[in-house]
Amino acid sequence: MNHVVKQLPAYHDGELGARAAQAVEAHLAQCEACRIELASLADLSTLLQVADPAPLGLSDDVFAAQVALRLPRDEVQTVSERTLAWSWRLAPVGIVVTWAFVQTTAIVALVVQLLMAAGMGNPALLALVASGPSLREPSANLANQLLGSVGLSDAWGTLQPVISSTWALLVPVLFSGLTAVAILSWVAVWWSSHLSSPVHSGQIG
Amino acid sequence: MTVSAAAVTDERLLIKRAQDGDRGAFADLVRQHRTGVVNVIYRMCGDAALAEDAAQECFIRAWEHLHRYRPRSAFRNWLYRIATNCALTELRRAKTEVDADDVQLRDERQGPEARLEQLERAAAVQSAVLSLPEASRSALVLREYEGLSYRDIAETLGIPVGTVMSRLNYARRLLRSALAEYMEVAS
């Protein structure tokens, strides 16, 4: 005979599904050992109730008043504080999206430059890219004008490739580093506040 | 333990108002849950005065972190989780022992011998519960004294339902052994 000892606590607590409960009941009808086991569980539950609940020294109103007196005086967050809190929560998403956008833009720009340098690609598209507004164009024009004003207008032609390649290499690296620092700082702050929450401040072993 | 839909709605309204800073609404929540919270802590630590102090501390922590509560879990479970942690913190701080004088008699009409016997049984039960490992004790208190379902206990303690069952079985096995002389049905 297969006893149902393992299912009995859940049956006793009313936690078994209807079908499982019926199977246990069918077994109990013909098994004295399991009936004694179930009766023992019920007996224990009854015995545990002998210990009275906590003797409440204060009325509910007095207790609530005492709690109210001990509550910190800080006001609950205002709407702007809540908006700030939500912005803080969404900050990592914003950082990652910005990082992905800048990286994608840099990669696309690099590919276009390589294609142009190799004389490849759709001439019409390359011409469009070449004639389109460039982020670096205003700064290049400004540098050219400044160097021209001090009599070094030819120097720009020599310096431009060096500056461009250094710039193209440094900016993504620096930007990735700053992004990583920002994300790690956010995680550190979040983790420290998470540990101080009441739900996680105690350990249930 | 059945809670009516109207009571749940009322409680959600109170929680919402309390989250918006309404101290009166929070006082109503304190009145509603005070007995349960004090009992959970009392069953965990066995000291009535300590339980009342720890319960106040529990409600203060709840107020401070109320904005983090989300209605997807029962407020009672969230509160009992804080209460359990408060009880464990107090236990580690005070390491209190059960005092039989704290155990009050339920039926004052009984004769002196019967009263003495009941007092002895109550003290033995409380002592046996307090001697359980903390993890099993938490599960047992929430089940036997607060009537929480396995799922609610799992949510309150932050453990899987299977672990709740194994902790309960372990606690009951220990209690049946410790209280064998007081049990009518021999296991």
Side-chain angles (χ1 to χ4, degrees):
Chain A
M1 184 183 291
N2 293 323
H3 291 290
V4 291
V5 176
K6 283 187 179 174
Q7 289 96 312
L8 283 180
Y11 177 76
H12 166 71
D13 290 328
E15 294 275 351
L16 278 188
R19 192 174 293 177
Q22 278 177 357
V24 168
E25 281 161 9
H27 176 82
L28 285 171
Q30 51 186 315
C31 177
E32 191 180 359
C34 286
R35 281 201 300 273
I36 291 174
E37 177 69 17
L38 180 63
S40 175
L41 283 170
D43 192 23
L44 178 66
S45 288
T46 307
L47 180 61
L48 288 174
Q49 301 309 317
V50 169
D52 285 344
L56 300 175
L58 307 169
S59 71
D60 285 347
D61 287 338
V62 173
F63 182 87
Q66 285 193 354
V67 170
L69 282 174
R70 291 179 61 189
L71 291 183
R73 292 286 104 190
D74 297 342
E75 292 304 321
V76 174
Q77 285 184 322
T78 61
V79 175
S80 59
E81 284 169 338
R82 274 190 213 163
T83 309
L84 194 65
W86 271 106
S87 307
W88 167 251
R89 277 178 213 154
L90 292 173
V93 180
I95 293 169
V96 171
V97 168
T98 309
W99 176 82
F101 175 75
V102 170
Q103 292 295 324
T104 310
T105 308
I107 289 168
V108 170
L110 187 66
V111 169
V112 170
Q113 277 184 351
L114 286 173
L115 285 173
M116 289 174 75
M120 295 166 64
N122 186 332
L125 180 64
L126 292 176
L128 182 68
V129 172
S131 64
S134 163
L135 286 173
R136 291 185 200 158
E137 202 168 304
S139 57
N141 288 338
L142 182 65
N144 213 3
Q145 284 171 11
L146 285 172
L147 289 168
S149 66
V150 293
L152 292 171
S153 54
D154 293 339
W156 178 245
T158 314
L159 285 173
Q160 191 182 19
V162 179
I163 293 172
S164 293
S165 57
T166 310
W167 180 258
L169 196 70
L170 271 181
V171 166
V173 172
L174 277 174
F175 193 74
S176 295
L178 284 173
T179 305
V181 168
I183 290 277
L184 287 174
S185 306
W186 187 93
V187 169
V189 173
W190 174 82
W191 184 247
S192 63
S193 65
H194 182 72
L195 285 180
S196 67
S197 82
V199 167
H200 295 91
S201 59
Q203 295 293 318
I204 299 175
Chain B
M1 189 175 286
T2 313
V3 182
S4 73
V8 170
T9 309
D10 285 350
E11 185 176 80
R12 286 196 177 162
L13 281 174
L14 285 175
I15 293 166
K16 179 77 183 65
R17 282 169 49 201
Q19 284 178 323
D20 288 337
D22 186 338
R23 287 164 185 262
F26 186 71
D28 286 343
L29 288 170
V30 171
R31 284 187 203 96
Q32 279 181 18
H33 291 281
R34 178 261 183 125
T35 306
V37 166
V38 172
N39 269 326
V40 166
I41 299 174
Y42 175 66
R43 301 291 188 190
M44 288 290 296
C45 68
D47 184 316
L50 193 89
E52 201 117 22
D53 283 348
Q56 290 196 5
E57 183 62 33
C58 165
F59 282 113
I60 290 164
R61 282 201 211 177
W63 169 261
E64 287 173 340
H65 298 269
L66 198 58
H67 61 281
R68 292 188 186 175
Y69 168 72
R70 296 286 174 269
R72 60 175 175 263
S73 65
F75 183 67
R76 179 194 58 179
N77 298 352
W78 184 76
L79 209 51
Y80 281 5
R81 188 169 189 182
I82 300 175
T84 310
N85 286 334
C86 281
L88 294 179
T89 305
E90 287 299 326
L91 271 175
R92 284 167 193 148
R93 190 184 298 164
K95 286 280 174 199
T96 52
E97 291 181 358
V98 60
D99 182 355
D101 292 339
D102 280 351
V103 181
Q104 293 189 342
L105 294 176
R106 202 173 280 167
D107 190 354
E108 297 296 334
R109 293 167 302 176
Q110 291 175 321
E113 278 184 25
R115 286 170 59 187
L116 192 64
E117 191 183 328
Q118 191 182 355
L119 184 64
E120 187 190 337
R121 281 158 65 90
V125 166
Q126 199 169 20
S127 177
V129 171
L130 290 174
S131 68
L132 292 173
E134 287 171 356
S136 307
R137 198 189 320 162
S138 313
L140 183 100
V141 165
L142 293 174
R143 172 66 223 169
E144 292 286 357
Y145 292 113
E146 294 305 315
L148 265 62
S149 68
Y150 287 178
R151 191 189 292 178
D152 283 345
I153 298 172
E155 191 176 279
T156 301
L157 300 181
I159 54 177
V161 170
T163 310
V164 171
M165 293 169 74
S166 61
R167 286 185 184 180
L168 272 176
N169 290 345
Y170 182 60
R172 282 168 168 159
R173 200 162 57 241
L174 290 178
L175 287 176
R176 282 159 72 179
S177 168
L179 299 170
E181 64 178 299
Y182 299 100
M183 292 183 64
E184 290 168 10
V185 181
S187 53

